[in-house]
Every structure is written in structure tokens, then in C-alpha cells.
Amino acid sequence: MVSISRAERVSAAFVRITDTLVADYDMLELLHALVESSVELLDASAAGLLLADPHGHLQVVASTSERSQLVEILQLRAGDGPCVECYQTGRVVVVEDIETMGGKWPEFRTAALSQGFRSVQAVPMRVRGTTIGAMGLFGDNPGALTQEDSSIGQALADVATITILQERTIRESALVNEQLQSALNSRVLIEQAKGVIAHTAGVDMEEAFKRLRSHARSNNRSLPETATAVINGVLRL
């Protein structure tokens, strides 16, 4: 049996995450790959991931077990906990021993202990000044992740975050381009309609546009729709 080094496994994990960029983009698959790879590579027994929706509200979107999913859900219901604080501050939050953490986050403490967790490290999904979520790495025993594990966990989260933000940028750019093309197409229709009105009504182009716009407003119709009616001879202004 061929032994695979840790470096090779780490490299494979990054490839697995970035592979979601090819073919059909599936964000859910990306996030599941992130939490699964984190548990496989790091000293964590389970992981859960919170992602902010367009309104900034956190949602549980991926987990490696029912235990971690339940803790994340209860953390959100309480409105506080290490992952919530991590998202709000954009900084790593470490709890080495949940049982002896004191009175902070009592709902989270109860939920985590009930599921057998004794430690947690929350890693921000962050690039520069943008934080889109947080990943919770749960341990069954007290203690913090090593510096190496922390660095790998953050790097995995960073790559996933960059992938998500890149996809959003592409999608938003495509939408902007689509809207721009639609506006250009509409402008062509309007110019054509102005020409028709100017010719048939014997008015200048400025007056033609005023008539076109006035009719559209008074009849609660869009300018392109009104222009099309003029061009097709359905409407005479």
C-alpha cells in the first residue's frame, strides 16, 4: 500500500476545492468539500459552516455530522457563539475547553457539551475586508489546533471564499452586461420610434420623444414597449 504524505493530502484538498470552478459551478458542493477536507486534514472531529445570505443573516449551509449541524443551528438561534463572533469580527475564535469556558455563550456551551464536543476553533471565511461566513472546527477533546493546522484550516477557508466571491463577481458582471445590452437595445427602439413619430406627426425629434415618454407614463407602459407599438404601427402619436 502506497503511503500518502500529509503535504500530498493537503495539496489534494486544495485541488478538490478549486475543481468546483470547472464545469457547472455548485456552491453547496464546494462548501461540503471544505468542511470534509478540514476534518480529514486537521485535528477536528467535526465541522460546520455558516454563510451569510444577501441580507447578512447567517445560515447553516454545510456540516460533517448531525452533531455539528445541531450545535451551529442552536448557536444561530441564540444569536451568539464562537462562529457568530468570528463572522462579526472577521477573526479566529478559539475555545480550548468548552466545559470550563465560564458564563460566555451559555446556550452554545450547553449545546456543544450535549453533543460531546469539548473544544472549537472558528475560522473566518474572509478575504481582505470581506467576511462572508465562518467555519467551526469542533474537537471531542480539550485543546487548541496546532499552528500548522490553524494555518491550513484558514488557507482552505480562504481558497473557498475566493472561489465564492469570484463566482459572485462573474455572475454580477454577467448581469450588468445583460442589463447594459438590454438598455442599448431599448435605446435603438426608442430612436426608431422617435423617427416614426417625427415623420408622421411633422414634429422634431425632441417633441417626438416627449410624446413617446408622455404616452408611456400616462398609460403605465415602458418606453421600449411603447416604442415597439409605434414602430409596428399599432400606436400613432
Side-chain angles (χ1 to χ4, degrees), residues 155-225:
L156 288 169
D158 289 348
V159 169
T161 304
I162 291 169
T163 302
I164 292 170
L165 292 178
Q166 180 182 31
E167 190 275 339
R168 286 183 180 177
T169 300
I170 292 171
R171 177 159 37 86
E172 289 168 0
S173 296
L175 178 60
V176 169
N177 288 334
E178 182 182 332
Q179 291 172 336
L180 177 58
Q181 187 59 54
S182 177
L184 292 173
N185 293 341
S186 296
R187 192 65 198 171
V188 170
L189 288 175
I190 292 168
E191 290 301 319
Q192 289 177 348
K194 283 165 58 179
V196 171
I197 296 170
H199 177 72
T200 57
V203 298
D204 60 25
M205 295 292 275
E206 186 174 342
E207 175 61 26
F209 181 66
K210 287 180 180 178
R211 292 188 182 191
L212 183 69
R213 191 178 188 189
S214 176
H215 184 86
R217 286 181 171 181
S218 60
N219 289 275
N220 197 29
R221 300 173 70 183
S222 69
L223 272 173
E225 182 182 6

Side-chain angles (χ1 to χ4, degrees), residues 34-214:
L34 171 60
V35 294
E36 289 167 359
S37 295
S38 296
V39 170
E40 290 168 6
L41 291 170
L42 311 178
D43 187 19
S45 58
L49 197 147
L50 305 179
L51 200 66
D53 65 19
H55 303 290
H57 302 139
L58 289 174
Q59 307 287 341
V60 180
V61 291
S63 59
T64 58
S65 70
E66 292 298 316
R67 292 194 302 153
S68 56
Q69 179 171 315
L70 178 61
V71 174
E72 295 287 29
I73 290 173
L74 294 177
Q75 184 177 180
L76 288 182
R77 287 182 181 175
D80 60 19
C83 289
V84 174
E85 181 174 300
C86 177
Y87 168 70
Q88 293 172 340
T89 64
R91 298 174 183 171
V92 174
V93 175
V94 179
V95 180
E96 294 191 29
D97 192 340
I98 295 172
E99 190 169 24
T100 61
M101 62 184 287
K104 191 175 184 179
W105 308 321
E107 293 89 347
F108 165 79
R109 178 179 181 278
T110 300
L113 291 176
S114 72
Q115 297 304 309
F117 295 128
R118 286 292 302 275
S119 60
V120 63
Q121 179 157 322
V123 178
M125 298 280 289
R126 179 198 64 217
V127 172
R128 297 187 180 89
T130 301
T131 304
I132 63 172
M135 177 171 63
L137 300 169
F138 298 91
D140 291 336
N141 300 304
L145 295 181
T146 64
Q147 184 59 51
E148 181 181 17
D149 275 8
S150 296
S151 297
I152 292 172
Q154 186 64 69
L156 288 169
D158 289 348
V159 169
T161 304
I162 291 169
T163 302
I164 292 170
L165 292 178
Q166 180 182 31
E167 190 275 339
R168 286 183 180 177
T169 300
I170 292 171
R171 177 159 37 86
E172 289 168 0
S173 296
L175 178 60
V176 169
N177 288 334
E178 182 182 332
Q179 291 172 336
L180 177 58
Q181 187 59 54
S182 177
L184 292 173
N185 293 341
S186 296
R187 192 65 198 171
V188 170
L189 288 175
I190 292 168
E191 290 301 319
Q192 289 177 348
K194 283 165 58 179
V196 171
I197 296 170
H199 177 72
T200 57
V203 298
D204 60 25
M205 295 292 275
E206 186 174 342
E207 175 61 26
F209 181 66
K210 287 180 180 178
R211 292 188 182 191
L212 183 69
R213 191 178 188 189
S214 176

